[in-house]
Every structure is written in C-alpha cells, then in structure tokens.
Amino acid sequence: MASTSNVDDFDSRYLIVNPENGGMVDLLKYLLLGDISSGVKFLEAEAEAVPVLVVEEAADHRWVIAVSIIARKIIGFLAKPMEYTGFVVDFTLNLLSQNGNIFGLLYNLLHGKVVIPRRGTETFLSTIGQLDGRIDLYKGEYLTEQLRYSDVGQSGIEMELVNRILMDLCIMASKLAYENAEVVRNVVVDHWKMHFVDFYNCWNDFEKEMSTQVFILTDKPKDATLILISFRGTEPFDADDWCTDFDYSWYEIPKLGKVHMGFLEALGLGNRADTVTFQNHLLGKEAKFRDRSSDSEELPSTGNDCIPPGKMELTAYYAVKNKLKSLLEEHKKAKFVVTGHSLGGALAILFPTVLVLHDEMEIMHSLLGVYTFGQPRIGNERIGRFMKAHLESPVQKYFRVVYCNDMVPRLPYDDKTFSYKHFGVCLFYNSCYIEQKVDEEPNKNFFGLRYLIPVYLNALWELIRSLTMGYTQGPQYKEGWFSIFARILGLAFPGISAHCPTDYVNSVRLGKERTIQMSSF
C-alpha cells in the first residue's frame, strides 16, 4: 500500500490501479460476476478513504477498471517480446536504409562494404523516423520572419499562413522528439537553421528509468523570438509507455481536479510508491527547494527516496522549467511553445498546468501556445475549467489536433461512469484531411459498436490512399514500404495505425484553411 501521510492541509485523494495485486480468477469474478470484493484487490487509496472510495470505484467503474487491468496485464506479458522486437526492427530498418535498402545491402555484402548502424548516432533513426522520413519544414525559410511580424490584427489569409507554419513546426518537432540527441541536433541546426538548446533524458517514476525525453530549441542563438519545447511520445515497442496510456490511476489536486498519475510521474512530480511526494511537488514545496538548489550538481534528499540518488535533479518538469526561466531572461522578447505527440502531448499540456498551479505567472505570460497531436486525456473536467482563463484569454492558446480514428485521444475511457475529459480546442481531421473545429472528436471512446464497421472500412481506404498520395499530392507525400506495411497492419488494428505521425503531418499541411486566432508576439 502506498504511503498516506498528510502534508499540512493538503487533502490528498488518489486511486491506484495495480494489476499485480490480484490474479486472473479475481479479475474474471470481478469482470463477469461483478464481485466487488475481487475487484478491490486491484485498487489502492488513501487510508482515510479505504474501503469507501475503493468500493465505490470498484462498483461504479467496473468495466473501465477491468479493461485497464486486462490491457496492462497483456502489455506487461508482452513487454520483453516487444522490447526485443523493437530492437530488431530498429536495427533492421537502419541497416536497410543506411545501405540503400535491400538491393544496396546485397551489393554491399558482396563487396564487403556493409554499413553497420550505430545507436545514438545522427544516422540512426527511430521506428517513427523510419515510418516518415520527412524532416524539412513547411516554408521553413520564412518561419522566423512570419512569426516575428505576426499580429492578431492581420488578415485571415496571413493568420492562416502563420498558424499553419507554427503548427507544422510543432508536429515536426513532436515527431523529431522520438530521435536520439544527435539526430535532433543535426535536424535543428543543419536543416531547420535554428539554435539547438538542449536534449534531456529525464527520470520517469512510473517506468523507473530515464525515459522521459524532451528537447528545447530557439529560432536563433541571440535575441530569439521563439522558444520551442517538445516532449517525446509513446514509443511503438515500449510496453511501459503503452501501460501509461492505459493506466486508470489518478491523483486529485485541490482546486485543480483529478490528474492521471502516470503522467505526473513521467514529469517527475511524484511517485505512487510514496504518495507524499505528490503533495510535496504539487504544493510547490519541492519546487521552491529545487529552484533554490538548481545550480548544485546533486540535490540532497527531500522525501523522494524512491528516486535513485543523482537522478532527482533530472526530472522533466524541473529541468525544463529551470532552463525555460533562464532562456526567457536571456531572450527578453521571446515567447514559448510547448508541443508533443501521443504521451508527449499529455506532458505538453500538463507542463503549463503545473506552472499555473505553482503560480509561475511570469513564465505563463510568455506562453505563445500549446499544440498537441494524438494526445490522451490527462484528467477530469475540473482541469479544463481551472486552465480556461490561462489558455483562452485574450486568444486561444491550446490546440489539440486529432486525426480520424486515432485510438490514443480516446484514452483513458470516457463515459457516464468515468471522469476524464478533454479540454481546449479540438482540430479534428477526417481521412480526407478535412478539418473541423469541435469540442470533442467523434466516437470519443473508440470502441462503440456503431463505429466498428466504418473504422475498418476507413483503414482500407487509408491503405489505398497511401498508394496514391505520391501521385495526387506530390513526391513529399509518397509513403515508403514500411509505412504501407503499417497501413496493412492497420486493417487489423486501425486505431493504432491511425496514431502514426504521418497522418498528423499530412493533416497540418493538406488541411483546409483555418480561421482560428493565434496568440501573437
């Protein structure tokens, strides 16, 4: 059972779903027979709420909790095979690409000139990078000038161009965040002609390893006008990343609402093994200590005994916040943008949310926007109400982009028994890349029976479309064999194939004209 000590007047409420606390018999009795006593074995809550909260949650949210447990058990069982498969796939794809594909590899084998891929180098791409090899920006040579002189009073056509350019930079940066530091540096400096600031590989308390990755760039090294922060998303073969998306555990923050516990841990804002750490971080006590100690090489312990020594200062929230502060002091006219795809999108919107909670209003005044792509839900409806004044005034600053049947934005499950809700403007793109501004994407829970057949028919259409894109839209939209193979897999798993960044890049570049007002410099 997680620690339940109180800190001052902070009234902590949380629920932890632990698939390891019960067996398959307990799960089947809970799911099929509605046996609440079996269901509560998988749940943990604060001492004052046990057994009331646990029993209520087990009874009211039975199907949601059961699906979460089943999904995480299956993913956990497949964790090692997924890891090994990912290793082989990454190596094989890079072996082929660095040797000119299959015929080039055969030629090099015959001549003893095979290029062996090396991880961590600027030529070794991730699976995401192999799926979509595009790295150049949409009208990237005009990016800095367009943004610097942007004004909310401009014509609709001019604002459309500025917004499209910025969104394109964000989706490309979100895609780039999947790569290693050398690839990121090479693309930012040599292709985008921008200034690479830093790449962070931070401690993730949910996964118990250095797996939260984020990089920062500015449009130029001196007198920058734009700072961009990009969080890495869910890696295709990382079981822990997928478990985070399917996790039902939450932590309730006074004034803010219920927040996905796994996302808090990914930012380094607590540890479910000792829930007092959430109080320390979210109350700002830990934040104040970390700010005072940010220049030290190694911080002493302040109650986070679950974080290994030397890793504590390398948590994403504090590393990014401290760097952002120094950049804003250095570049007086700069505004910052936060972005991310998938899990990275969740961290991208959670980061400014915690900044507001910590009353970092000086930083928030420099926020230009938050752009997320395929982002899962991060909490309940109260979070949206809490952040509304900071993200919608004087103009809209939070844009949540969703492509068609992408399953991840429909997680965690949302129905009358579940409390997680999206907020902000949703820019929804269908499979023809037609944009709609909506409050909630269609088929918000993905598994609805009325959408079952259309989802599979749409996956077939996406496969056909992928074979023709290079002819109908131009060579930059031509999909390679690996991307087409992913489309074929999408015939069986359409919600997962639709999550690939390829369709998000296409949506931003091919989508119809927008009329949304963007924050200005």
Side-chain angles (χ1 to χ4, degrees), residues 97 303 334:
S97 64

Side-chain angles (χ1 to χ4, degrees), residues 25-43:
V25 174
D26 295 314
L27 180 58
L28 292 174
K29 289 170 65 177
Y30 176 49
L31 177 63
L32 302 178
L33 303 179
D35 185 353
I36 303 303
S37 61
S38 297
V40 298
K41 294 180 180 180
F42 297 98
L43 308 180

